[in-house]
PDB file of all heavy atoms in Angstrom:
ATOM      1  N   GLU A 712       7.675 -20.339   5.729  1.00 87.00           N
ATOM      2  CA  GLU A 712       6.516 -19.918   4.935  1.00 87.00           C
ATOM      3  C   GLU A 712       5.517 -21.070   4.733  1.00 87.00           C
ATOM      4  O   GLU A 712       4.320 -20.855   4.726  1.00 87.00           O
ATOM      5  CB  GLU A 712       6.954 -19.338   3.613  1.00 87.00           C
ATOM      6  CG  GLU A 712       7.598 -17.983   3.806  1.00 87.00           C
ATOM      7  CD  GLU A 712       7.812 -17.194   2.514  1.00 87.00           C
ATOM      8  OE1 GLU A 712       7.755 -17.760   1.418  1.00 87.00           O
ATOM      9  OE2 GLU A 712       8.016 -15.976   2.645  1.00 87.00           O
ATOM     10  N   THR A 713       6.021 -22.301   4.593  1.00 82.00           N
ATOM     11  CA  THR A 713       5.104 -23.444   4.416  1.00 82.00           C
ATOM     12  C   THR A 713       4.214 -23.640   5.645  1.00 82.00           C
ATOM     13  O   THR A 713       3.005 -23.825   5.505  1.00 82.00           O
ATOM     14  CB  THR A 713       5.929 -24.759   4.183  1.00 82.00           C
ATOM     15  OG1 THR A 713       6.618 -24.586   2.924  1.00 82.00           O
ATOM     16  CG2 THR A 713       5.045 -25.947   4.121  1.00 82.00           C
ATOM     17  N   HIS A 714       4.817 -23.534   6.827  1.00 75.00           N
ATOM     18  CA  HIS A 714       4.025 -23.759   8.034  1.00 75.00           C
ATOM     19  C   HIS A 714       3.290 -22.488   8.496  1.00 75.00           C
ATOM     20  O   HIS A 714       2.364 -22.583   9.301  1.00 75.00           O
ATOM     21  CB  HIS A 714       4.888 -24.341   9.139  1.00 75.00           C
ATOM     22  CG  HIS A 714       5.409 -25.682   8.765  1.00 75.00           C
ATOM     23  ND1 HIS A 714       4.567 -26.761   8.472  1.00 75.00           N
ATOM     24  CD2 HIS A 714       6.668 -26.163   8.569  1.00 75.00           C
ATOM     25  CE1 HIS A 714       5.298 -27.807   8.157  1.00 75.00           C
ATOM     26  NE2 HIS A 714       6.561 -27.486   8.187  1.00 75.00           N
ATOM     27  N   ASN A 715       3.667 -21.327   7.952  1.00 79.00           N
ATOM     28  CA  ASN A 715       2.905 -20.095   8.193  1.00 79.00           C
ATOM     29  C   ASN A 715       1.594 -20.162   7.401  1.00 79.00           C
ATOM     30  O   ASN A 715       0.561 -19.675   7.836  1.00 79.00           O
ATOM     31  CB  ASN A 715       3.644 -18.859   7.723  1.00 79.00           C
ATOM     32  CG  ASN A 715       4.633 -18.351   8.725  1.00 79.00           C
ATOM     33  OD1 ASN A 715       4.656 -18.775   9.881  1.00 79.00           O
ATOM     34  ND2 ASN A 715       5.475 -17.437   8.279  1.00 79.00           N
ATOM     35  N   GLY A 716       1.707 -20.701   6.185  1.00 80.00           N
ATOM     36  CA  GLY A 716       0.568 -20.709   5.323  1.00 80.00           C
ATOM     37  C   GLY A 716       0.468 -19.458   4.450  1.00 80.00           C
ATOM     38  O   GLY A 716      -0.553 -19.201   3.816  1.00 80.00           O
ATOM     39  N   PHE A 717       1.541 -18.657   4.440  1.00 85.00           N
ATOM     40  CA  PHE A 717       1.559 -17.451   3.603  1.00 85.00           C
ATOM     41  C   PHE A 717       2.999 -17.032   3.370  1.00 85.00           C
ATOM     42  O   PHE A 717       3.916 -17.446   4.074  1.00 85.00           O
ATOM     43  CB  PHE A 717       0.810 -16.289   4.271  1.00 85.00           C
ATOM     44  CG  PHE A 717       1.356 -15.903   5.627  1.00 85.00           C
ATOM     45  CD1 PHE A 717       2.421 -15.018   5.762  1.00 85.00           C
ATOM     46  CD2 PHE A 717       0.800 -16.440   6.779  1.00 85.00           C
ATOM     47  CE1 PHE A 717       2.922 -14.683   7.002  1.00 85.00           C
ATOM     48  CE2 PHE A 717       1.312 -16.124   8.018  1.00 85.00           C
ATOM     49  CZ  PHE A 717       2.367 -15.256   8.142  1.00 85.00           C
ATOM     50  N   SER A 718       3.207 -16.201   2.346  1.00 89.00           N
ATOM     51  CA  SER A 718       4.544 -15.672   2.034  1.00 89.00           C
ATOM     52  C   SER A 718       4.783 -14.398   2.866  1.00 89.00           C
ATOM     53  O   SER A 718       3.884 -13.534   2.927  1.00 89.00           O
ATOM     54  CB  SER A 718       4.649 -15.357   0.541  1.00 89.00           C
ATOM     55  OG  SER A 718       5.874 -14.752   0.275  1.00 89.00           O
ATOM     56  N   ALA A 719       5.963 -14.269   3.438  1.00 91.00           N
ATOM     57  CA  ALA A 719       6.288 -13.084   4.192  1.00 91.00           C
ATOM     58  C   ALA A 719       7.489 -12.352   3.591  1.00 91.00           C
ATOM     59  O   ALA A 719       7.728 -11.180   3.921  1.00 91.00           O
ATOM     60  CB  ALA A 719       6.619 -13.427   5.639  1.00 91.00           C
ATOM     61  N   SER A 720       8.220 -12.987   2.658  1.00 93.00           N
ATOM     62  CA  SER A 720       9.376 -12.348   2.037  1.00 93.00           C
ATOM     63  C   SER A 720       8.959 -11.094   1.287  1.00 93.00           C
ATOM     64  O   SER A 720       7.893 -11.035   0.673  1.00 93.00           O
ATOM     65  CB  SER A 720      10.053 -13.307   1.072  1.00 93.00           C
ATOM     66  OG  SER A 720      10.619 -14.400   1.749  1.00 93.00           O
ATOM     67  N   LYS A 721       9.812 -10.072   1.389  1.00 96.00           N
ATOM     68  CA  LYS A 721       9.608  -8.779   0.721  1.00 96.00           C
ATOM     69  C   LYS A 721       8.343  -8.070   1.218  1.00 96.00           C
ATOM     70  O   LYS A 721       7.680  -7.389   0.464  1.00 96.00           O
ATOM     71  CB  LYS A 721       9.591  -8.946  -0.799  1.00 96.00           C
ATOM     72  CG  LYS A 721      10.830  -9.540  -1.383  1.00 96.00           C
ATOM     73  CD  LYS A 721      12.019  -8.607  -1.183  1.00 96.00           C
ATOM     74  CE  LYS A 721      13.248  -9.235  -1.837  1.00 96.00           C
ATOM     75  NZ  LYS A 721      14.468  -8.559  -1.412  1.00 96.00           N
ATOM     76  N   ARG A 722       8.029  -8.239   2.504  1.00 95.00           N
ATOM     77  CA  ARG A 722       6.863  -7.585   3.099  1.00 95.00           C
ATOM     78  C   ARG A 722       7.244  -7.006   4.453  1.00 95.00           C
ATOM     79  O   ARG A 722       8.123  -7.505   5.148  1.00 95.00           O
ATOM     80  CB  ARG A 722       5.746  -8.614   3.329  1.00 95.00           C
ATOM     81  CG  ARG A 722       5.198  -9.188   2.029  1.00 95.00           C
ATOM     82  CD  ARG A 722       4.199 -10.276   2.225  1.00 95.00           C
ATOM     83  NE  ARG A 722       2.937  -9.753   2.758  1.00 95.00           N
ATOM     84  CZ  ARG A 722       1.885 -10.518   3.042  1.00 95.00           C
ATOM     85  NH1 ARG A 722       1.957 -11.838   2.891  1.00 95.00           N
ATOM     86  NH2 ARG A 722       0.776 -10.030   3.500  1.00 95.00           N
ATOM     87  N   PHE A 723       6.536  -5.985   4.835  1.00 95.00           N
ATOM     88  CA  PHE A 723       6.716  -5.400   6.173  1.00 95.00           C
ATOM     89  C   PHE A 723       6.031  -6.292   7.192  1.00 95.00           C
ATOM     90  O   PHE A 723       4.968  -6.891   6.921  1.00 95.00           O
ATOM     91  CB  PHE A 723       6.114  -3.990   6.244  1.00 95.00           C
ATOM     92  CG  PHE A 723       6.962  -2.948   5.578  1.00 95.00           C
ATOM     93  CD1 PHE A 723       6.648  -2.504   4.305  1.00 95.00           C
ATOM     94  CD2 PHE A 723       8.054  -2.405   6.242  1.00 95.00           C
ATOM     95  CE1 PHE A 723       7.417  -1.565   3.692  1.00 95.00           C
ATOM     96  CE2 PHE A 723       8.859  -1.476   5.623  1.00 95.00           C
ATOM     97  CZ  PHE A 723       8.553  -1.013   4.338  1.00 95.00           C
ATOM     98  N   LEU A 724       6.630  -6.418   8.367  1.00 93.00           N
ATOM     99  CA  LEU A 724       6.035  -7.233   9.436  1.00 93.00           C
ATOM    100  C   LEU A 724       4.605  -6.834   9.727  1.00 93.00           C
ATOM    101  O   LEU A 724       3.730  -7.690   9.886  1.00 93.00           O
ATOM    102  CB  LEU A 724       6.892  -7.121  10.718  1.00 93.00           C
ATOM    103  CG  LEU A 724       6.346  -7.772  11.963  1.00 93.00           C
ATOM    104  CD1 LEU A 724       6.159  -9.277  11.788  1.00 93.00           C
ATOM    105  CD2 LEU A 724       7.230  -7.462  13.162  1.00 93.00           C
ATOM    106  N   ALA A 725       4.311  -5.540   9.710  1.00 92.00           N
ATOM    107  CA  ALA A 725       2.978  -5.054   9.992  1.00 92.00           C
ATOM    108  C   ALA A 725       1.970  -5.556   8.957  1.00 92.00           C
ATOM    109  O   ALA A 725       0.759  -5.582   9.230  1.00 92.00           O
ATOM    110  CB  ALA A 725       2.941  -3.505  10.010  1.00 92.00           C
ATOM    111  N   ASP A 726       2.409  -5.944   7.781  1.00 93.00           N
ATOM    112  CA  ASP A 726       1.510  -6.347   6.690  1.00 93.00           C
ATOM    113  C   ASP A 726       1.301  -7.835   6.569  1.00 93.00           C
ATOM    114  O   ASP A 726       0.536  -8.280   5.742  1.00 93.00           O
ATOM    115  CB  ASP A 726       2.022  -5.812   5.363  1.00 93.00           C
ATOM    116  CG  ASP A 726       2.071  -4.294   5.320  1.00 93.00           C
ATOM    117  OD1 ASP A 726       1.301  -3.651   6.081  1.00 93.00           O
ATOM    118  OD2 ASP A 726       2.905  -3.762   4.567  1.00 93.00           O
TER     119      ASP A 726
END
Side-chain angles (χ1 to χ4, degrees):
E712 289 193 342
T713 295
H714 297 300
N715 278 348
F717 59 85
S718 175
S720 294
K721 301 295 183 195
R722 295 175 72 181
F723 285 100
L724 173 60
D726 298 334

